[in-house]
Amino acid sequence: PRWGKSILLDMLSAYYDISMQDQFDELFGELWIGKRENWTSRRNQFHVLHLDLSIDVWGDIEKNFHKCLHVLM
């Protein structure tokens, strides 16, 4: 815990996500990676799917699955 894993993933998401293209200069403009000569060719080129696994997704899926089974029976 507290090693910065989530912050690292948020930063990578902001760098590569096509929907963050308009905010690139605001987020990275003052940093080394924000300088035009240091950009990678894949900057803001992907649609990024963000999944938050800190919530009980599986519990909700299981509950809804059992509801569907009861309706079918």
Side-chain angles (χ1 to χ4, degrees):
R2 308 275 183 228
W3 289 6
K5 297 179 292 292
S6 295
I7 292 173
L8 172 66
L9 292 175
D10 288 343
M11 183 271 306
L12 289 172
S13 174
Y15 188 83
Y16 288 108
D17 195 345
I18 198 167
S19 69
M20 300 291 285
Q21 192 169 9
D22 294 339
Q23 298 170 321
F24 185 84
D25 289 332
E26 178 184 339
L27 296 171
F28 298 102
E30 299 296 319
L31 304 173
W32 180 87
I33 195 71
K35 307 297 185 226
R36 183 175 288 280
E37 63 271 10
N38 300 323
W39 288 352
T40 66
S41 62
R42 303 205 181 230
R43 173 186 77 94
N44 298 120
Q45 297 295 310
F46 302 99
H47 295 280
V48 175
L49 177 63
H50 180 83
L51 299 175
D52 185 359
L53 298 178
S54 66
I55 58 175
D56 186 17
V57 174
W58 301 115
D60 290 341
I61 290 173
E62 184 179 10
K63 181 173 62 176
N64 290 331
F65 178 73
H66 286 293
K67 263 193 222 178
C68 289
L69 285 180
H70 289 287
V71 168
L72 292 174
M73 294 183 158

